[in-house]
Amino acid sequence: MKDQHSSGQNGTDVTVIGLGPMGSALAEAFLGNGRSLTVWNRTPGKADALVAKGANRTTTVAEAVAASPVTIMCLNDYTTMYRVLDSAGGAFEGRTLVNLNSGTPAQARAAADWAAERDLDYLDGAIMVPPPLVGHPESVFLYGGPRDVFDQNRATLALLGDPRYLGADPGLAVLFNTALLAMMYATLNGFLHGAALVGSADVPAVEFAELALGWFMPVVLAPASLAEQAPNLDEGVYPGDLGTMEMNLNALEHIARTSVEQGVQSDLPRLMKELAEQAIALGHGAENYFAMFEVFKKSAAETGGSR
């Protein structure tokens, strides 16, 4: 039985399923923009604050999906999505599901097939900001799936942030998300390892950060400089006139040796050195370090690396 705030079949603009920190932030953004909202969560009490602000709560997923033309889903993973939505039955017909779960491209494509079997329009998305930034115009959300489905729901999605359409492949959003997270963790690990290296000589992290983030990153690894190299990655052109992979291997060997000498964890620099050795073995020794792109495009079996 629905509570007194539930609209059931009367209809609302949008439904949100899953009210963890991120799902609640999505729901708040819709309410804050004056949209009528239906919510459902496995633990009903998580909807109390939203109901107090005007959201409609249903007791079943079927009622939640039926209440709105578009449902935004924010659960832990695709397995949970199937478990939750399998109880919705025919409530899907003619509606749109925007799935903001995390997972892999293969899982996203399988979910799109699952939705098609149920006459359910489907977009797979990825949220690129933490919950407090949901609803800000500059906050990036990524989407993959049919263009017409995206266009029909763009105004609704824009209430959450900046909706970026990546293409018809429903796996593109989680693929981009994974790629960006990989870049984030690699950058964080590089900074933390560098701070540990100088810290082994009792240099405060604050002092290292001043040089690393105040000069090195903005100058040596400036986004504009990396963007200039992107066309070369697409073309496979890596001129070594200003530095070769062999020269970089020498530097990487010094990083690995210094880490060992200073008693700092050395797995990361050893891995970077091994990757440079693979690049040289593949014939990229006279090219610049961006030729490492050719190594990353191949599997471990193709490069001779370990799995």
Side-chain angles (χ1 to χ4, degrees):
M1 180 178 179
K2 309 180 190 70
D3 66 26
Q4 62 179 338
H5 294 280
S6 181
S7 64
Q9 299 299 324
N10 293 334
T12 55
D13 295 325
V14 62
T15 289
V16 172
I17 291 178
L19 298 176
M22 186 61 77
S24 294
L26 300 173
E28 291 275 6
F30 289 124
L31 288 174
N33 281 281
R35 296 301 189 271
S36 57
L37 176 70
T38 294
V39 294
W40 181 90
N41 193 73
R42 183 170 54 182
T43 305
K46 287 190 174 182
D48 288 349
L50 295 167
V51 170
K53 295 178 182 180
N56 304 310
R57 172 168 46 197
T58 62
T59 56
T60 69
V61 173
E63 290 173 324
V65 171
S68 308
V70 56
T71 292
I72 310 292
M73 171 161 282
C74 189
L75 299 172
N76 288 334
D77 50 38
Y78 290 87
T79 300
T80 305
M81 180 196 80
Y82 295 131
R83 185 167 63 247
V84 167
L85 291 186
D86 275 343
S87 64
F92 290 128
E93 188 173 351
R95 286 172 169 77
T96 297
L97 174 66
V98 180
N99 184 14
L100 299 177
N101 302 342
S102 60
T104 71
Q107 288 177 317
R109 294 171 189 132
D113 292 340
W114 174 90
E117 292 172 358
R118 290 158 176 79
D119 192 26
L120 177 66
D121 288 338
Y122 183 84
L123 292 174
D124 206 279
I127 306 169
M128 305 309 300
V129 295
L133 295 182
V134 170
H136 292 226
E138 69 278 7
S139 296
V140 173
F141 284 64
L142 307 177
Y143 299 97
R147 180 75 204 216
D148 60 331
V149 177
F150 174 79
D151 288 341
Q152 290 165 10
N153 293 280
R154 184 186 182 97
T156 297
L157 300 177
L159 300 176
L160 303 176
D162 179 10
R164 305 284 185 91
Y165 178 71
L166 301 176
D169 180 355
L172 283 173
V174 292
L175 181 60
F176 265 72
N177 179 57
T178 302
L180 292 168
L181 288 176
M183 180 178 173
M184 179 191 77
Y185 285 117
T187 302
L188 285 174
N189 284 337
F191 171 73
L192 296 172
H193 185 267
L197 273 176
V198 299
S200 69
D202 297 323
V203 177
V206 171
E207 184 175 338
F208 174 71
E210 182 180 1
L211 188 59
L213 306 181
W215 168 76
F216 187 76
M217 291 286 288
V219 174
V220 179
L221 295 177
S225 298
L226 295 178
E228 288 177 0
Q229 296 297 326
N232 290 337
L233 300 185
D234 291 332
E235 296 170 10
V237 176
Y238 314 102
D241 47 316
L242 297 180
T244 66
M245 187 67 70
E246 291 177 346
M247 293 172 58
N248 281 283
L249 175 59
N250 187 50
L252 291 166
E253 288 173 339
H254 291 162
I255 297 170
R257 288 174 55 189
T258 300
S259 298
V260 173
E261 287 180 8
Q262 295 296 115
V264 172
Q265 227 283 348
S266 60
D267 286 354
L268 179 61
R270 282 204 303 262
L271 173 60
M272 293 190 295
K273 180 179 76 72
E274 291 170 3
L275 289 170
E277 290 170 342
Q278 291 177 27
I280 292 170
L282 291 171
H284 302 293
E287 297 175 322
N288 68 42
Y289 193 79
F290 284 89
M292 188 65 68
F293 184 55
E294 301 299 325
V295 176
F296 289 136
K297 290 194 296 184
K298 299 179 183 296
S299 69
E302 291 176 290
T303 60
S306 61
R307 290 188 180 274

